[in-house]
Amino acid sequence: MNQTGETETKTAGGVRDGAAGGASDGKAGGGGTDGTGAGAVPSERARRLAAFRGAKRVLSGGARVETVRERLTRLVADAPTAYDLDDWTDIYANEGSVVGELERRTAEALGTEDAAFFPTGTMAQQVALRCWAGRTGSATVAGHPLSHLEMHERDAFAVVSGLRMVHPTRAPRLPTATEVHELQEPFGTLALELPLRDAGFVLPEWEELTAVVAAARDRDAVVHFDGARLWECGPHFGRTLPEVAALADSVYVSFYKTLDGISGAALAGTGDFVEEARAWRHRYGGQLFQQWPAALAALSGLDRELLRLPEYVAHAKVVAGALREGLADAGMPWFRVHPEVPHTHQFQVWLPYVPEVLNEAAVRQAEKSGTALFLKWFEPDPAGPPGVAMTELTVAASAMDWTAAEVRSAAAEFVDYVRRVGVMGA
């Protein structure tokens, strides 16, 4: 089954669609219509879905293009190794259920005392910050302007929780210990996104991270990790997940961004903190009646993907280097692969064309050659210079059999499609 790398990015109109779109245009690969009736021209999203689903080779991984039936079939096929399907479904996330098992295994993987399942990461983040505001007596959070809290949660920390954000730095990286020390006003919580996705999935070095955490402690603040993608940070730091998580007072992790889950997140920390978080989860509307499909998928992801992440991270370095070489050899006048050496299994690629040209070239390459190299191009957010677009590339299972030579060849072929589209019009 092919994959489509779902993304979630704030725009003027809210949250932009995923890399290959969702199912609103009809069944994936089913040639959905634009809503004008039988025989209508397929919508642009449906065309993308069909192209990427039909491609023989897909470089960038992510959320798969599949029908509801296919996802259910895969869930049942994966689940027996993760959980006993003859057990009962959960009721309000009861401890003896599949949700309780997921919470237990998440805490075990992170080395924390406990963990609570949340339907969304945004809710988990808000609850964490709300709990710490009450415990520290401070409504001020130190964070990054490119963090998920600022870019993708519609300012929920301020609008819903009544908190305010201050910025130790605006540079496209995590703050330094000096910047945290020199922040001009007091704060109760330091929120660190690991990796910082909108800066290019970047991470500090281990010594830098420990120094930043120590600086926050010196300021009498607690530390919260926005670790939606924390799962893949270990190889960069050269540390285990429990060693990384132990630096923070609370950690949020996602089950679908890296682990191929359906949805859901967890908030982990000490037993008393997680118990308080469960109370706030109820108040924020997260006490859902049943959540077993998401929990089952998350357990399967923990079994299947977690052990493979070091391979993905290592191969991402090969893919990034080959892309740079392929784009340069093809005569691309300007480009950037960022970071040049990826910190995780995800990185950015920037090209000097508008998204419409690059997206059309990507679809044509998938349709005509059966190769899906890049999935969806966007205008940078925050806005960059005109005529420049960016894509995020995820090196996962679908990329593991790509050699460097094959990546270089596919990149050169993509540049050829870009030039054709640029001349003919998208």
Side-chain angles (χ1 to χ4, degrees):
M1 185 69 63
N2 296 328
Q3 299 182 314
T4 65
E6 292 293 328
T7 58
E8 179 186 20
T9 302
K10 176 180 173 183
T11 66
V15 178
R16 74 187 179 196
D17 66 355
S24 60
D25 296 297
K27 291 182 179 179
T33 70
D34 61 4
T36 58
V41 176
S43 70
E44 186 58 32
R45 177 181 289 179
R47 181 182 169 220
R48 287 203 314 271
L49 287 170
F52 295 133
R53 181 182 173 89
K56 297 184 177 76
R57 304 199 73 192
V58 179
L59 180 64
S60 185
R64 306 187 188 202
V65 176
E66 54 194 343
T67 64
V68 173
R69 183 183 302 279
E70 288 168 341
R71 186 62 182 99
L72 286 172
T73 299
R74 185 161 65 89
L75 180 62
V76 172
D78 290 345
T81 60
Y83 193 76
D84 182 3
L85 295 185
D86 290 324
D87 199 357
W88 304 105
T89 57
D90 63 297
I91 303 294
Y92 293 121
N94 51 301
E95 289 185 10
S97 69
V98 61
V99 175
E101 176 65 9
L102 175 61
E103 291 175 337
R104 184 192 67 78
R105 285 196 51 196
T106 300
E108 181 182 317
L110 296 173
T112 59
E113 291 181 5
D114 202 355
F117 182 76
F118 281 77
T120 72
T122 295
M123 184 184 294
Q125 296 262 78
Q126 300 313 310
V127 165
L129 297 183
R130 176 63 183 80
C131 288
W132 290 126
R135 291 181 173 219
T136 64
S138 173
T140 302
V141 178
H144 201 286
L146 290 178
S147 70
H148 196 278
L149 288 162
E150 294 263 30
M151 296 288 290
H152 306 295
E153 298 182 15
R154 291 182 180 264
D155 300 322
F157 66 87
V159 178
V160 178
S161 302
L163 308 179
R164 60 187 292 265
M165 186 81 71
V166 294
H167 303 134
T169 183
R170 304 190 73 86
R173 54 162 173 75
L174 274 296
T176 65
T178 299
E179 289 165 339
V180 172
H181 271 300
E182 295 179 351
L183 195 57
Q184 291 181 326
E185 52 189 309
F187 55 93
T189 304
L190 173 64
L192 298 174
E193 182 178 336
L194 301 174
L196 187 56
R197 177 263 185 101
D198 280 287
F201 305 96
V202 296
L203 291 166
E205 295 303 315
W206 178 252
E207 294 74 17
E208 294 171 329
L209 179 60
T210 56
V212 168
V213 170
R217 308 275 190 236
D218 289 344
R219 297 290 302 265
D220 296 321
V222 297
V223 177
H224 169 69
F225 282 172
D226 172 349
R229 298 172 173 85
L230 192 74
W231 308 114
E232 60 261 37
C233 293
H236 177 81
F237 292 135
R239 297 295 190 280
T240 65
L241 274 173
E243 287 178 298
V244 178
L247 293 179
D249 297 282
S250 60
V251 178
Y252 143 61
V253 290
S254 173
F255 293 119
Y256 75 89
K257 288 185 171 66
T258 299
L259 300 184
D260 191 33
I262 293 174
S263 62
L267 188 58
T270 61
D272 65 303
F273 173 81
V274 172
E275 276 303 298
E276 182 183 0
R278 287 190 173 104
W280 282 103
R281 178 182 66 186
H282 197 171
R283 295 185 180 111
Y284 274 68
Q287 191 77 351
L288 302 188
F289 180 58
Q290 290 189 339
Q291 301 179 90
W292 57 267
L296 272 178
L299 284 170
S300 296
L302 282 172
D303 283 342
R304 183 185 59 254
E305 295 300 307
L306 200 53
L307 293 176
R308 298 199 68 187
L309 285 171
E311 299 176 52
Y312 296 165
V313 174
H315 197 53
K317 295 174 172 56
V318 175
V319 171
L323 277 175
R324 289 198 309 272
E325 294 169 1
L327 293 171
D329 291 345
M332 180 61 69
W334 177 90
F335 65 87
R336 184 170 185 186
V337 175
H338 176 69
E340 285 194 3
V341 178
H343 297 174
T344 71
H345 71 319
Q346 296 179 292
F347 56 91
Q348 297 174 340
V349 181
W350 296 67
L351 290 179
Y353 291 88
V354 295
E356 291 78 9
V357 168
L358 298 175
N359 285 326
E360 177 63 20
V363 171
R364 291 189 190 183
Q365 183 177 27
E367 289 174 334
K368 297 180 184 299
S369 72
T371 297
L373 186 63
F374 302 114
L375 299 177
K376 187 69 186 292
W377 293 84
F378 301 100
E379 292 180 353
D381 185 19
V388 174
M390 182 270 290
T391 190
E392 295 173 331
L393 200 147
T394 299
V395 175
S398 67
M400 293 306 293
D401 64 346
W402 283 68
T403 66
E406 289 169 334
V407 173
R408 287 193 295 270
S409 176
E413 181 184 67
F414 177 74
V415 171
D416 186 50
Y417 278 105
V418 169
R419 287 172 177 150
R420 294 185 206 175
V421 172
V423 172
M424 298 168 58

